[in-house]
Amino acid sequence: MPAWLHYAPAKGWMNDPNGLVHWQGKHHLFYQYNPDGTEFSNQHWGHASSPDLLTWTEHEVALFPGPAGTAPYDATACFSGCAVEHDGAVSILYTGVLGDAQLPCLARAADDGLSGFVKDAANPLLPAPPAADITEFRDHSVWREGGRWRMLVAGARREHGGSAFALSSTDLRRWDYDGVFADRAATKVPGAVWECPDYFTSADTAAVLVSVIHEDGVTGPDVWWMTGTASDDGFHVRESGVVDVGDRFYAPQSYWAPDGRRIQFGWVRTHEDPAGLDGPAVGFMSLPRELSIRDGRLYSEPAAELSSLRRTATPVPPTGTVRFERARVAGELVLDAATANGVRRVTLRSPGGAETIVDLAEFAGRDGVLRLFWDAGIVEVYRGGVAGTWSDLRVGEVAELRLDGAVGGAEVWELARKERDFGPAAAS
């Protein structure tokens, strides 16, 4: 199995990133995982770690559903959640699923390698959603504030649609319901249901990200950000916008790196590709991103570590077409600011003739250089704090790259791919 830049397990189904945390010198990536098939079912938590956001080791499954006799509250599945440092160790809050019931649960790391988690005897932490009109209640974002733990749970309310609910606790076990934190009507963020909340603050501004399930027949961006201020009566939105302008990015989660950067990963929904269900594994993680808040707006940029993968650069000629002597699985196209405003689209062509066309309209007129990464059929574009993710797994290698529009300052970097330790799943 090749060592892609985008993380994927050796086998099985992967979706939402969970429990992202930097602990004991490593970045830990947990994720929704079906180890026994390539469909969304039987959700466990898979686990990978990295010292540098580039070199990943796949570990044994970290969190299992059930068993029904001692942990009936999650016997169906372990859905999404987050990680926090607590009393010298790592604890996770996740959604335990039993049939149609989805309730918050707590577990504590069994060791400093985070190889597994011990479920808390208090589970589930709530016997039911905390208000009668709540129709969906799952996924968790937890942080420490003012001597208490604060938590957002996403979901929906009857006749109100997508909502996020606020709770607080002194010990991570007993939670008080503080009311609706934000909803569709107050924020202008769409969705019949909100999922996978992610909350953080920078200086005097707070940010909330949610992934949305639209009403039947409604289409549009699936991940949204809101910035503003939080108070006892909820979240007061100043600005809102789309996290990713592509059509594959979903359920992102972020965490603090030791150097103060906010690092984000999201699920790349490759099962929606025509070729996305081939092979032993389905689903990828995005490249690591850095988040910041500038002038009240969320900015997404590729993690600085990705630049260390650059090897040799090839200038793009005035014709706008580059043909590679050897097809490249991974590369980076860089357009300077003037060129980025003049290039309308980029076409990536495989050795067999399949083409991916990336429309750059969403990035026109924005500030700075444009960076386009491709890797194993996944494309990520960044400019001016805006990101976009697309995929076409038929174009797993690029033999030719073509720019449509005015070409000036453009170059293509060959990117190295780090060695991967695919861990126990690769041998089973």
Side-chain angles (χ1 to χ4, degrees), residues 3-244:
W4 295 309
L5 302 185
H6 291 78
Y7 175 79
K11 68 170 189 174
W13 165 283
M14 179 178 70
N15 58 291
D16 307 1
N18 294 158
L20 303 186
V21 66
H22 188 276
W23 179 252
Q24 301 291 340
K26 291 185 177 181
H27 302 270
H28 289 268
L29 167 65
F30 299 92
Y31 46 88
Q32 290 288 280
Y33 184 51
N34 178 5
D36 300 322
T38 53
E39 66 282 336
F40 177 75
S41 178
N42 185 37
Q43 297 307 102
H44 297 54
W45 277 30
H47 179 206
S49 67
S50 172
D52 57 7
L53 292 174
L54 302 173
T55 309
W56 291 96
T57 296
E58 181 181 354
H59 301 290
E60 297 276 6
V61 172
L63 185 66
F64 295 78
T70 57
Y73 48 83
D74 66 5
T76 301
C78 297
F79 275 4
S80 294
C82 63
V84 295
E85 298 182 27
H86 180 226
D87 288 344
V90 171
S91 292
I92 60 170
L93 289 103
Y94 68 98
T95 300
V97 181
L98 178 63
D100 293 331
Q102 301 180 5
L103 295 171
C105 298
L106 175 68
R108 188 170 176 84
D111 53 54
D112 278 342
L114 312 189
S115 64
F117 294 92
V118 179
K119 298 174 184 179
D120 199 282
N123 289 339
L125 304 180
L126 295 173
D133 66 341
I134 296 176
T135 57
E136 303 282 352
F137 188 74
R138 59 178 172 270
D139 310 334
H140 310 271
S141 182
V142 178
W143 68 98
R144 190 77 174 166
E145 180 183 291
R148 292 173 65 85
W149 293 102
R150 303 291 304 276
M151 176 165 65
L152 292 186
V153 180
R157 290 182 296 153
R158 191 175 297 109
E159 298 182 4
H160 290 274
S163 304
F165 309 102
L167 298 95
S168 58
S169 172
T170 59
D171 61 2
L172 292 180
R173 290 187 176 89
R174 292 174 292 274
W175 290 89
D176 297 321
Y177 179 51
D178 299 326
V180 176
F181 188 74
D183 65 15
R184 180 174 61 180
T187 64
K188 309 305 181 185
V189 171
V193 180
W194 288 357
E195 297 188 299
C196 303
D198 189 30
Y199 176 93
F200 71 97
T201 60
S202 178
D204 61 348
T205 303
V208 181
L209 283 69
V210 293
S211 297
V212 305
I213 298 176
H214 295 285
E215 291 87 350
D216 290 344
V218 175
T219 60
D222 295 326
V223 188
W224 290 71
W225 58 264
M226 301 165 266
T227 59
T229 56
S231 67
D232 290 342
D233 61 349
F235 190 63
H236 305 277
V237 177
R238 295 176 187 162
E239 304 283 347
S240 63
V242 176
V243 172
D244 189 286

